[in-house]
Amino acid sequence: MADIIQLLPDNVANQIAAGEVVQRPASAVKELIENAIDAGASHISLIIKDAGKTLIQVVDDGKGMSPTDARLCFERHATSKIKNANDLFNLNTKGFRGEALASIAAIAHVTLKTKQANEELGTRIIIKGNEVVEQEPNSMNNGTTILVKNLFYNIPARRNFLKSDTVELRHIIDEFHRVVLAHQDIQFEFHHNGSELFLLKASNLKQRIVNVFGAKINEKLVPITENTELVKINGFIGKPNFAKKKRGEQFFFVNNRFIKNSYLHHAIMNAYEGLLQTKAIPSYFLFLEVDPQTIDINIHPTKTEIKFEDEHSIYAILRAAIKHSLGQYSVLPSLDFDKDPSLDLPYEYTKKDIATPTISVDRNFNPFDNDSAVKTNKASFKPQFQAPKAASWEALYNPSESQATFEQEIQQEQLFETETQLAKTFQINKKYIVSPFQNGLLIIHQNRAHQRVLFERFINLENQNTAIQQLLFPQELHFSKPEMALLKTIVKNLEELGFEFTLQNETMMITGVPAFLESKKVALLIQDLLADLQEEAPEKDKISHTLLAKSMAKNLAVKTGEILNSKAQENLINELFSCSEPSFSPFGKTIIHKESLAAINTKFS
Ligand code: ADP
Ligand code: MG
């Protein structure tokens, strides 16, 4: 039989390698910035268009390349950083595999301009499909400028696979964070579609963190240092009460290289044990320094995973160091943040004797009599929030004079009132509302039920003039630049919901909020909204009203663990059953469980 094995042509081999190295614009950004750092640059600018899909440009003032090197650097396995295999275990550079530029050149149009300090003129090279199509002398400053245009122009499948600009930009910002945190001594600039996202002067670590994440982060961090023979640890960790449910500020660097390591992440989570709310993840900015001989970086093409020789000891040291820091900065004794503030007694009640709420069940109550879905005050069946032109919030809230809404009920702090009327419903485990009916029991998940009610209310507010509460004292919120950029994309949505505000630099000045919103909840709500948007940035760039409505509903809904008096329970049920979709939460979770009398009877047979 004829031989069938053949060597792949270079351009095909490069495209295959590119698949591993360059998955998306963010990977190219990472490689190019790392090259600039390896070239000893002290000033690096990143300029991108359309989230890197159209253009990624990196300008550095590093050592540049000779005209010959400028050609050679696009060859596969062409590197100036290592010479033999032993060098792999003594790395001082970000790059070493010599495949980034070859990979990028295989899937994009590349222009390279570079000049060494001792030369009069630099070189300009244009590459298309791995071929040099032009090379000529170029007059320029010392350093290197590389332009990568039309990424994946020749691999439509890849290009189609790219996510929306919002998502791809998010990935680029993530990579940018990772390198700028590890190189505080370098000045970085980052421009997207003509606007400046970051301008980071050379500084120390703390200053860099503040410049990247906004001044607010300062108060949330405590320093950490530990020196052992095996590993030196430096950096900052977040106070537990500031831990968020979403990932975002977790950074591990080993010998100044950002890495992902779930084992060491576990060590950190372990050190915070008992200090965090469920699912919250603390921020951390940790720099580990180890002998390069004791790690292997070359286990993954993107160089973000490494193997430690003695992972167990590092785990133990890291965990102990974090515990120590948390203790030293007396984060530990003041750990009452876990408490749900909504359970705090209002001030007036602290001085009163509190009557134990009585729970009594009306056995005759039949929510399903009259053949309707639920027996209830008929007024509450009116779709309550379709009158958004109402000028006052009372009107918005009070479709019928007699009936307060669920929110009013709980805002009026009547939770501990002695109940005079007989309850038709009761709460179990501060989580479910149980309502008996002739044919059995309804068990309703209070949190999800309220999510549904709020969601439908917010959805109906789109394109309407919502009632606005003017704030007596405008609220000032501070955000990082990327958060600000995200905020700008939802200005219109927020205005539709009834927010009045201005955005300037890193500040959001809120002068009016939707009437349905308590002003003290505003800051948290906006922060949570941004976190949700970052997490679930939609495929289309237009952030949908639905996504916002979901996020707001989730954040504002009454939580599991909150006590509801019987009036509030009843209102919630009434409002739930006037929803168009009462059975499922906006996130598709079950709200109502029906236990039929027949099923109950079988238990007693
Ligand atoms: P690696 O970084 O792994 O060596 P690359 O493909 O990223 O591989 O780069 C190949 C070579 O090109 C580098 O080793 C370096 O010598 C040179 N080079 C790349 N970018 C720059 C730059 N910005 N300034 C100076 N030299 C560079
Ligand atoms: Mg490189």
Side-chain angles (χ1 to χ4, degrees), residues 145-191:
T145 295
I146 183 156
L147 290 97
V148 175
K149 290 183 216 156
N150 311 323
L151 202 65
F152 300 127
Y153 75 98
N154 53 355
I155 317 181
R158 272 286 167 127
R159 201 172 167 86
N160 294 338
F161 171 80
L162 291 178
K163 296 277 185 345
S164 68
D165 284 6
T166 318
V167 174
E168 294 300 340
L169 179 62
R170 181 76 241 150
H171 283 287
I172 294 175
I173 291 173
D174 284 347
E175 290 294 351
F176 185 78
H177 283 165
R178 294 164 182 177
V179 314
V180 302
L181 287 171
H183 297 276
Q184 314 112 37
D185 48 340
I186 299 177
Q187 172 167 337
F188 288 94
E189 284 172 38
F190 182 174
H191 298 260

Coordinates of all heavy atoms in Angstrom, one line a residue, residues 145-191:
T145 N 5.8 48.4 17.4 CA 4.3 48.6 17.3 C 3.8 47.4 16.4 O 4.4 47.2 15.4 CB 4.0 49.9 16.5 OG1 4.4 51.0 17.3 CG2 2.5 50.0 16.3
I146 N 2.8 46.7 16.9 CA 2.3 45.6 16.1 C 0.8 45.8 16.0 O 0.1 46.2 16.9 CB 2.7 44.3 16.7 CG1 2.2 43.1 15.9 CG2 2.2 44.1 18.1 CD1 3.0 41.9 16.1
L147 N 0.4 45.7 14.7 CA -1.1 45.8 14.4 C -1.6 44.5 13.9 O -1.1 43.9 13.0 CB -1.3 46.9 13.3 CG -1.1 48.3 13.7 CD1 0.3 48.8 13.2 CD2 -2.1 49.2 13.0
V148 N -2.6 44.0 14.6 CA -3.3 42.8 14.2 C -4.7 43.1 13.7 O -5.5 43.6 14.5 CB -3.3 41.8 15.3 CG1 -4.0 40.5 15.0 CG2 -1.9 41.5 15.8
K149 N -4.9 42.9 12.4 CA -6.2 43.3 11.9 C -7.0 42.1 11.4 O -6.4 41.1 11.0 CB -6.0 44.2 10.6 CG -5.5 45.6 11.0 CD -5.4 46.5 9.8 CE -4.2 47.4 9.9 NZ -3.7 47.8 8.7
N150 N -8.3 42.2 11.5 CA -9.2 41.2 11.0 C -8.9 39.8 11.5 O -8.7 38.9 10.7 CB -9.2 41.2 9.4 CG -9.4 42.6 8.9 OD1 -10.1 43.4 9.5 ND2 -8.7 42.9 7.8
L151 N -8.9 39.6 12.7 CA -8.6 38.3 13.3 C -9.5 37.3 12.8 O -10.7 37.5 12.7 CB -8.8 38.5 14.9 CG -8.1 37.5 15.7 CD1 -6.6 37.6 15.6 CD2 -8.5 37.7 17.2
F152 N -9.0 36.1 12.5 CA -9.7 35.0 12.0 C -10.4 35.2 10.6 O -11.4 34.6 10.3 CB -10.9 34.5 13.0 CG -10.3 34.1 14.3 CD1 -10.8 34.6 15.5 CD2 -9.3 33.1 14.4 CE1 -10.4 34.2 16.7 CE2 -8.9 32.7 15.7 CZ -9.4 33.3 16.8
Y153 N -9.8 36.2 9.8 CA -10.4 36.5 8.5 C -10.5 35.3 7.7 O -11.4 35.2 6.8 CB -9.6 37.6 7.8 CG -8.3 37.1 7.2 CD1 -8.2 36.8 5.9 CD2 -7.2 37.0 8.1 CE1 -7.0 36.3 5.3 CE2 -6.0 36.5 7.5 CZ -5.9 36.2 6.2 OH -4.7 35.7 5.7
N154 N -9.5 34.3 7.8 CA -9.5 33.2 7.0 C -10.0 31.9 7.6 O -9.9 30.8 7.1 CB -8.0 32.9 6.5 CG -7.1 32.9 7.7 OD1 -7.5 33.1 8.8 ND2 -5.8 32.5 7.4
I155 N -10.6 32.1 8.9 CA -11.3 30.9 9.5 C -12.7 31.4 9.9 O -12.9 31.7 11.1 CB -10.5 30.4 10.7 CG1 -9.0 30.4 10.5 CG2 -11.0 29.1 11.2 CD1 -8.2 29.9 11.7
P156 N -13.6 31.4 9.0 CA -14.9 31.9 9.3 C -15.6 31.2 10.5 O -16.3 31.8 11.3 CB -15.7 31.6 8.0 CG -14.7 31.3 6.9 CD -13.5 30.9 7.6
A157 N -15.3 29.9 10.6 CA -15.9 29.2 11.7 C -15.5 29.8 13.1 O -16.4 30.0 13.9 CB -15.5 27.7 11.7
R158 N -14.2 30.1 13.1 CA -13.8 30.8 14.4 C -14.4 32.2 14.6 O -14.7 32.6 15.7 CB -12.2 31.0 14.3 CG -11.5 29.8 14.8 CD -11.5 29.7 16.3 NE -11.1 28.5 16.7 CZ -10.1 28.3 17.7 NH1 -9.6 29.4 18.2 NH2 -9.8 27.1 18.0
R159 N -14.4 32.9 13.5 CA -14.9 34.2 13.6 C -16.4 34.2 14.0 O -16.8 35.0 14.9 CB -14.8 34.9 12.2 CG -14.8 36.4 12.3 CD -14.4 37.1 11.0 NE -14.8 38.5 11.3 CZ -14.0 39.4 11.8 NH1 -12.8 39.1 12.2 NH2 -14.4 40.7 12.0
N160 N -17.1 33.3 13.5 CA -18.6 33.2 13.8 C -18.7 32.8 15.3 O -19.7 33.0 15.9 CB -19.3 32.2 12.9 CG -19.3 32.7 11.5 OD1 -19.2 33.9 11.3 ND2 -19.5 31.8 10.6
F161 N -17.7 32.1 15.8 CA -17.8 31.5 17.1 C -17.6 32.6 18.2 O -18.0 32.5 19.3 CB -16.7 30.4 17.2 CG -16.5 29.9 18.6 CD1 -17.4 29.0 19.2 CD2 -15.4 30.3 19.3 CE1 -17.1 28.5 20.5 CE2 -15.1 29.9 20.6 CZ -16.0 28.9 21.2
L162 N -17.0 33.8 17.7 CA -16.8 34.9 18.7 C -18.1 35.4 19.2 O -19.1 35.4 18.6 CB -16.0 36.0 18.0 CG -14.6 35.7 17.6 CD1 -14.0 36.9 16.9 CD2 -13.8 35.3 18.8
K163 N -18.0 35.8 20.5 CA -19.2 36.3 21.1 C -19.4 37.8 20.8 O -18.6 38.4 20.1 CB -19.0 36.1 22.6 CG -19.0 34.7 23.0 CD -20.4 34.1 23.1 CE -20.6 32.7 23.6 NZ -19.6 31.7 23.8
S164 N -20.4 38.4 21.4 CA -20.7 39.8 21.2 C -19.5 40.7 21.6 O -18.6 40.2 22.4 CB -21.9 40.2 22.0 OG -21.5 40.2 23.4
D165 N -19.4 41.9 21.1 CA -18.4 42.8 21.5 C -18.3 43.0 23.0 O -17.2 43.0 23.6 CB -18.5 44.2 20.9 CG -18.1 44.1 19.4 OD1 -17.9 43.0 18.9 OD2 -18.1 45.2 18.7
T166 N -19.4 43.0 23.7 CA -19.4 43.2 25.1 C -18.7 42.0 25.8 O -17.8 42.2 26.7 CB -20.9 43.2 25.7 OG1 -21.7 43.9 24.8 CG2 -20.9 43.7 27.1
V167 N -19.0 40.8 25.3 CA -18.3 39.6 26.0 C -16.8 39.6 25.6 O -16.0 39.4 26.5 CB -19.0 38.3 25.5 CG1 -18.3 37.1 26.0 CG2 -20.5 38.3 26.0
E168 N -16.5 39.8 24.4 CA -15.1 39.8 24.0 C -14.3 40.9 24.7 O -13.2 40.7 25.1 CB -14.9 39.9 22.4 CG -15.5 38.6 21.7 CD -14.9 37.3 22.1 OE1 -13.8 37.3 22.6 OE2 -15.5 36.3 21.9
L169 N -14.9 42.0 24.8 CA -14.2 43.1 25.5 C -14.0 42.7 27.0 O -12.9 43.0 27.5 CB -15.0 44.4 25.4 CG -14.4 45.6 26.1 CD1 -13.0 46.0 25.5 CD2 -15.3 46.8 26.1
R170 N -14.9 42.1 27.5 CA -14.8 41.6 28.9 C -13.6 40.7 29.1 O -12.8 40.8 30.0 CB -16.1 40.9 29.3 CG -16.3 40.3 30.6 CD -16.5 41.4 31.6 NE -15.5 41.4 32.6 CZ -15.1 42.5 33.3 NH1 -15.6 43.6 33.1 NH2 -14.1 42.4 34.2
H171 N -13.5 39.8 28.1 CA -12.3 38.9 28.1 C -11.0 39.7 28.0 O -10.0 39.3 28.7 CB -12.4 37.9 27.0 CG -13.4 36.8 27.3 ND1 -13.1 35.7 28.1 CD2 -14.6 36.5 26.8 CE1 -14.2 34.9 28.2 NE2 -15.1 35.4 27.3
I172 N -11.0 40.7 27.1 CA -9.8 41.4 27.0 C -9.4 42.2 28.3 O -8.3 42.2 28.7 CB -9.9 42.4 25.8 CG1 -10.0 41.6 24.5 CG2 -8.7 43.4 25.7 CD1 -10.3 42.5 23.3
I173 N -10.5 42.8 28.9 CA -10.2 43.5 30.1 C -9.7 42.5 31.2 O -8.8 42.9 31.9 CB -11.5 44.2 30.6 CG1 -11.8 45.4 29.6 CG2 -11.4 44.7 32.0 CD1 -13.2 46.0 29.9
D174 N -10.3 41.3 31.2 CA -9.8 40.3 32.2 C -8.3 40.1 32.0 O -7.5 40.1 32.9 CB -10.5 39.0 32.0 CG -11.9 39.1 32.7 OD1 -12.2 40.0 33.4 OD2 -12.7 38.2 32.4
E175 N -7.9 39.9 30.7 CA -6.4 39.6 30.4 C -5.6 40.9 30.8 O -4.5 40.7 31.4 CB -6.2 39.3 29.0 CG -6.7 37.9 28.5 CD -6.0 36.7 29.2 OE1 -5.0 36.9 29.9 OE2 -6.5 35.6 29.0
F176 N -6.2 42.0 30.5 CA -5.5 43.2 30.8 C -5.2 43.4 32.3 O -4.1 43.7 32.7 CB -6.3 44.4 30.2 CG -5.6 45.8 30.4 CD1 -4.6 46.1 29.5 CD2 -6.0 46.7 31.3 CE1 -4.0 47.4 29.6 CE2 -5.4 47.9 31.5 CZ -4.4 48.3 30.6
H177 N -6.3 43.1 33.1 CA -6.1 43.2 34.5 C -5.0 42.3 35.0 O -4.2 42.6 35.8 CB -7.4 42.6 35.2 CG -8.5 43.6 35.2 ND1 -9.8 43.2 35.5 CD2 -8.6 44.9 35.0 CE1 -10.6 44.3 35.4 NE2 -9.9 45.3 35.1
R178 N -4.9 41.1 34.4 CA -3.9 40.1 34.9 C -2.5 40.6 34.6 O -1.7 40.4 35.4 CB -4.2 38.8 34.1 CG -5.5 38.1 34.6 CD -5.9 37.0 33.6 NE -7.2 36.5 34.0 CZ -7.8 35.5 33.4 NH1 -7.3 35.0 32.3 NH2 -9.0 35.1 33.8
V179 N -2.3 41.2 33.4 CA -0.9 41.6 33.2 C -0.6 42.9 33.9 O 0.5 43.1 34.5 CB -0.4 41.7 31.8 CG1 -0.8 40.6 31.0 CG2 -0.9 43.0 31.1
V180 N -1.5 43.9 34.0 CA -1.2 45.1 34.7 C -1.0 45.0 36.2 O -0.2 45.7 36.7 CB -2.2 46.3 34.4 CG1 -2.3 46.5 32.9 CG2 -3.5 46.0 35.0
L181 N -1.7 44.0 36.8 CA -1.5 43.8 38.2 C -0.1 43.3 38.5 O 0.5 43.6 39.5 CB -2.5 42.9 38.8 CG -3.9 43.5 38.9 CD1 -4.9 42.4 39.2 CD2 -3.9 44.6 39.9
A182 N 0.4 42.4 37.6 CA 1.7 41.8 37.8 C 2.9 42.8 37.4 O 4.0 42.5 37.7 CB 1.8 40.5 37.0
H183 N 2.6 43.9 36.7 CA 3.6 44.7 36.3 C 3.3 46.2 36.6 O 3.1 47.0 35.8 CB 3.9 44.6 34.8 CG 4.4 43.2 34.5 ND1 5.7 42.8 34.6 CD2 3.7 42.1 34.2 CE1 5.8 41.5 34.3 NE2 4.6 41.0 34.0
Q184 N 3.4 46.5 37.9 CA 3.0 47.8 38.4 C 4.0 48.9 38.0 O 3.7 50.0 38.0 CB 2.9 47.8 39.9 CG 2.1 46.7 40.5 CD 3.0 45.7 41.3 OE1 3.9 46.2 42.0 NE2 2.8 44.4 41.2
D185 N 5.2 48.4 37.7 CA 6.3 49.4 37.3 C 6.2 49.8 35.9 O 7.0 50.7 35.4 CB 7.7 48.8 37.6 CG 7.8 47.3 37.0 OD1 6.7 46.7 36.8 OD2 8.9 46.9 36.8
I186 N 5.3 49.3 35.1 CA 5.1 49.7 33.7 C 3.9 50.6 33.6 O 2.8 50.3 34.2 CB 5.0 48.4 32.8 CG1 6.2 47.6 32.9 CG2 4.7 48.8 31.4 CD1 6.2 46.3 32.1
Q187 N 3.9 51.6 32.8 CA 2.8 52.4 32.5 C 1.9 51.8 31.4 O 2.5 51.4 30.3 CB 3.2 53.8 32.1 CG 2.0 54.6 31.6 CD 2.3 56.1 31.5 OE1 3.2 56.6 32.2 NE2 1.5 56.8 30.7
F188 N 0.6 51.6 31.6 CA -0.2 51.0 30.6 C -1.3 52.0 30.2 O -1.9 52.7 31.0 CB -0.9 49.8 31.1 CG 0.0 48.6 31.3 CD1 0.6 48.4 32.5 CD2 0.2 47.7 30.2 CE1 1.5 47.3 32.7 CE2 1.1 46.6 30.4 CZ 1.7 46.4 31.6
E189 N -1.7 51.9 28.9 CA -2.9 52.6 28.4 C -3.7 51.7 27.7 O -3.2 50.7 27.0 CB -2.5 53.8 27.5 CG -1.9 54.9 28.1 CD -1.3 55.9 27.1 OE1 -2.0 56.1 26.0 OE2 -0.3 56.5 27.4
F190 N -5.0 51.9 27.7 CA -5.9 51.0 27.0 C -7.1 51.8 26.4 O -7.8 52.5 27.1 CB -6.5 50.0 28.0 CG -7.4 48.9 27.4 CD1 -7.8 47.9 28.2 CD2 -7.8 48.9 26.1 CE1 -8.7 46.9 27.8 CE2 -8.7 48.0 25.6 CZ -9.1 46.9 26.4
H191 N -7.2 51.8 25.1 CA -8.2 52.5 24.4 C -9.1 51.5 23.6 O -8.6 50.7 22.9 CB -7.7 53.5 23.4 CG -6.8 54.6 24.0 ND1 -7.3 55.8 24.3 CD2 -5.5 54.5 24.5 CE1 -6.3 56.5 24.9 NE2 -5.3 55.8 25.0

